[in-house]
Amino acid sequence: MGAREGSHRRQRMAAPDRREAILDAAEALFTARGWDRVTIADVLGAAGISKGGFYHHFTARDDLLAGIVARMTDRALAAARTARDRSGGDALARLNAFIAGSLRWTADNPDASRLQAEILSRSGNEILFQRVFDATSALVRPALAEMIAEGVEEGSFDVADPALTAEVIVGLAQGRRSALARALGEASAGRPEAGATVLEARMVAEGMICDRLLGVAQGSVALSSPTEYRRIFAGLAAAPAGADVIDGAPIPPRRA
């Protein structure tokens, strides 16, 4: 829907609904065109929201993008919790099911993966990267801390402070950016398998660190999933026309 048409249907709505309408419009536009090619005016027109209504919820486009990524993270966490709740076994089995559910959701939603990859892999976006990281980690940390605490209570994990341990584990993702950029560089050059291999090496190392933090045997935390990584990078290779570069390198065109 164009900006002119959207502006004709502006209506009063509750603040939470208005925020969701803004995020819906922005997510659709960012996915279709790429982040750099969408303005706040485009979002206002598509959502049928006034400028005042927008700035009641977001102070800038970066805040809007952080909100979109946080909402995507929330959806991934919902899928992860469902997988965890369906899993039997001890806390370690539930944690691995949680991780697998999150990765599966990411692989099943390539548009979300492309949007996050476009933003987080580009050089010069350090402030935005930190803002997005803070927004997503605020959602992930409590869920992880809860699972770790359950594992401590049942004797599966040997951890002194579940909340601090969760903070350290989530913090590993902050240093993942360079590996992700290298992996995306491989994918953008038409080598998605190589990209998956780069990310897998990083995640295997992080998994070994998680094993030590949780006091479990090496190889216990299944943080890496080569199958899902290949699905994710195959989805990234099918980029829409508007998002045709990653970190300055062309992405192969969308397959028919």
Side-chain angles (χ1 to χ4, degrees), residues 42-153:
D42 293 332
V43 175
L44 297 182
I49 300 293
S50 68
K51 185 178 293 187
F54 175 89
Y55 286 108
H56 177 74
H57 298 282
F58 305 98
T59 60
R61 193 177 60 155
D62 286 2
D63 288 336
L64 178 60
L65 187 62
I68 292 172
V69 175
R71 192 170 69 163
M72 290 175 175
T73 301
D74 200 35
R75 292 169 182 165
L77 286 176
R81 290 189 182 98
T82 297
R84 176 201 62 190
D85 294 343
R86 290 175 178 171
S87 171
D90 60 9
L92 176 60
R94 295 194 298 274
L95 174 61
N96 283 335
F98 180 89
I99 295 169
S102 176
L103 285 172
R104 188 162 50 248
W105 184 92
T106 301
D108 288 342
N109 292 270
D111 285 343
S113 299
R114 279 195 293 269
L115 178 59
Q116 295 187 50
E118 182 189 2
I119 301 308
L120 301 183
S121 67
R122 291 191 178 186
S123 59
N125 280 345
E126 285 74 17
I127 294 176
L128 177 58
F129 174 83
Q130 186 63 50
R131 187 170 298 180
V132 169
F133 174 80
D134 290 343
T136 55
S137 62
L139 296 172
V140 176
R141 277 198 312 269
L144 183 57
E146 179 183 4
M147 286 186 288
I148 294 174
E150 291 173 356
V152 171
E153 185 175 353

Side-chain angles (χ1 to χ4, degrees), residues 117 120-122 129 172-187 192 194-206 229 233 236 246-247:
L120 301 183
S121 67
R122 291 191 178 186
F129 174 83
L172 293 172
Q174 193 164 21
R176 196 181 301 157
R177 184 181 181 188
S178 60
L180 178 60
R182 291 196 305 273
L184 290 169
E186 294 287 357
T197 299
V198 170
L199 183 58
E200 181 185 355
R202 167 74 190 201
M203 299 311 294
V204 167
E206 287 191 23
Y229 294 160
F233 280 97
L236 287 173
I246 288 181
D247 208 17

Side-chain angles (χ1 to χ4, degrees), residues 185-251:
E186 294 287 357
S188 68
R191 297 186 294 269
E193 287 282 339
T197 299
V198 170
L199 183 58
E200 181 185 355
R202 167 74 190 201
M203 299 311 294
V204 167
E206 287 191 23
M208 294 175 65
I209 293 172
C210 291
D211 292 333
R212 293 187 175 93
L213 288 171
L214 297 176
V216 296
Q218 288 295 292
S220 295
V221 178
L223 202 59
S224 173
S225 177
T227 299
E228 298 298 3
Y229 294 160
R230 288 180 175 85
R231 291 180 61 209
I232 290 168
F233 280 97
L236 287 173
D244 54 1
V245 294
I246 288 181
D247 208 17
I251 301 174

